[in-house]
Amino acid sequence: MNECYYDKRMDFFYNRTKTDTADEWTGAQLIGVLCFGTFFCLFIFISNSLVIAAVVKNKRFHFPFYYLLANLAAADFFAGIAYVFLMFNTGPVSKTLTVNRWFLRQGLLDTSLTASLVNLLVIAVERHMSIMRMKIHSNLTKKRVTFLIISIWAIAIFMGAVPTLGWNCLCDITVCSSLAPIYSRSYLVFWSVLNLVVFFIMVVVYIRIYMYVQRKTNVLSSHTSGSISRRRTPVKLMKTVMTVLGAFVVCWTPGLVVLLLDGLNCTDCGIQNVKRWFLLLALLNSVMNPIIYSYKDDEMWATMKRMICCSSEDKSQDRRSSRIPSTVLCRTTDTSGHYIEDGIIQGTICGKGDLGDKGNS
């Protein structure tokens, strides 16, 4: 019967894997990493809070897609908390941690990754349901969206707790990994392959949706005389989503590949030399998302800017929300969503009615 090592500190496991954490995070290098991490964590907290507040405040964002987008911002906010906890429990401190504290440190990171990944997968399904039915927004009710959000976090918390629940190497230290000294190599293979497969599935789904919308828009464009910006509104929305997904895949894939190589016990791959840089790359993803939201959607940026400037004047709100390039469509009394054909042919983009009135006056 194998002996279990629940009462050992992490130095026991790090010494077994010959991981010298003290040499990697000392002096100016450690100070630089902590300053870099602190700055970006503060940006993550502030910017993602603004995204969530913008969705809550602006009624033009009260659609399932934007609720899920706000939940993705909440996952990034949670990732910031995980990175802060990691910063104060890494480097030389790592060897002094108890097993439970180390599990908590890694569990927070795994939970944040899973929350973002599952949220993107749900957004992919929501986009597929709506776009393939020729709608900009799906028919999901608030209750269903709430259930989906709760399910996303339930799955994320469970996946983050899987090693703590038993899939670890505390009772069989011969199968311990190098990057995660108390994780089983088999778990790292499972974790990395699962995430990479989900990445691939989502990329394929979004490419299919984008090609469908592009084809449909081109067909309808030949029968309409509306402006180019109006005809391309569905495409702009898909570009925003695909940009977010692309940034997520680019930032997380290198780290997952390194985990996979560690799980496969690749001793000559030099994974110890690159692990911290790939972790910082993953941190950068949570920084990029709010920038993508505001850059791709003028309405989102205008709402965030109003909140930053503490301005709530109705006239200013009307002026800024009437800018044409926004990906947000005007709400109508039809709660079932907006049809792409209607949005293209009838020009149901925000502010078109006002322009028409001005033209008639």
Side-chain angles (χ1 to χ4, degrees), residues 40 43 47-48 51 76 240 243-244 284-297 300-301 304:
F40 280 107
F43 182 84
S47 58
N48 284 287
V51 172
D76 288 328
T240 301
T243 303
V244 172
L284 186 61
N285 177 244
S286 298
V287 175
M288 293 172 61
N289 283 342
I291 299 175
I292 294 172
Y293 305 149
S294 58
Y295 176 76
K296 288 289 187 177
D297 194 326
M300 178 70 74
W301 168 242
M304 293 169 65

Side-chain angles (χ1 to χ4, degrees), residues 92-318:
V93 181
S94 297
K95 290 189 174 184
T96 66
L97 298 178
T98 63
V99 168
N100 290 333
R101 193 170 181 84
W102 195 94
F103 271 136
L104 176 61
R105 190 189 82 172
Q106 297 305 121
L108 291 174
L109 292 172
D110 294 345
T111 299
S112 66
L113 169 61
T114 305
S116 297
L117 182 63
V118 178
N119 204 97
L120 282 170
L121 183 60
V122 172
I123 291 177
V125 174
E126 190 272 343
R127 290 291 84 199
H128 189 275
M129 290 172 54
S130 58
I131 299 299
M132 292 303 173
R133 293 177 182 177
M134 299 306 298
K135 295 181 179 180
I136 297 299
H137 297 292
S138 65
N139 293 332
L140 290 174
T141 63
K142 287 186 178 181
K143 288 185 179 180
R144 290 182 179 180
V145 174
T146 302
F147 174 76
L148 287 173
I149 291 175
I150 294 174
S151 299
I152 288 170
W153 285 102
I155 294 172
I157 293 172
F158 173 76
M159 291 301 295
V162 165
T164 310
L165 298 176
W167 200 345
N168 54 60
C169 63
L170 293 177
C171 294
D172 187 5
I173 58 176
T174 60
V175 298
C176 288
S177 68
S178 174
L179 293 178
I182 56 177
Y183 278 11
S184 297
R185 289 196 298 270
S186 60
Y187 174 75
L188 290 187
V189 172
F190 162 79
W191 172 258
S192 54
V193 170
L194 176 64
N195 285 282
L196 291 172
V197 169
V198 175
F199 283 1
F200 177 77
I201 292 174
M202 288 193 297
V203 170
V204 171
V205 170
Y206 277 118
I207 291 176
R208 181 173 181 268
I209 295 174
Y210 179 80
M211 292 176 64
Y212 175 83
V213 173
Q214 185 72 56
R215 184 174 66 251
K216 197 69 176 179
T217 303
N218 292 336
V219 171
L220 293 174
S221 296
S222 62
H223 302 288
T224 62
S225 58
S227 67
I228 295 176
S229 62
R230 290 173 189 145
R231 289 196 294 265
R232 291 182 178 176
T233 297
V235 179
K236 286 175 65 67
L237 183 58
M238 287 309 306
K239 283 182 177 179
T240 301
V241 179
M242 292 181 68
T243 303
V244 172
L245 175 62
F248 187 82
V249 172
V250 169
C251 290
W252 279 101
T253 298
L256 291 174
V257 171
V258 166
L259 288 178
L260 177 61
L261 293 175
D262 187 27
L264 296 175
N265 200 23
C266 181
T267 56
D268 300 325
C269 297
I271 55 179
Q272 294 290 346
N273 299 326
V274 297
K275 64 177 183 179
R276 60 183 178 274
W277 304 114
F278 287 163
L279 181 61
L280 293 176
L281 181 62
L283 168 65
L284 186 61
N285 177 244
S286 298
V287 175
M288 293 172 61
N289 283 342
I291 299 175
I292 294 172
Y293 305 149
S294 58
Y295 176 76
K296 288 289 187 177
D297 194 326
D298 288 340
E299 181 76 17
M300 178 70 74
W301 168 242
T303 304
M304 293 169 65
K305 195 158 106 175
R306 285 196 298 272
M307 289 188 296
I308 294 173
C309 298
C310 299
S311 173
S312 59
E313 296 180 4
D314 293 335
K315 292 182 180 180
S316 176
Q317 182 176 356
D318 292 336

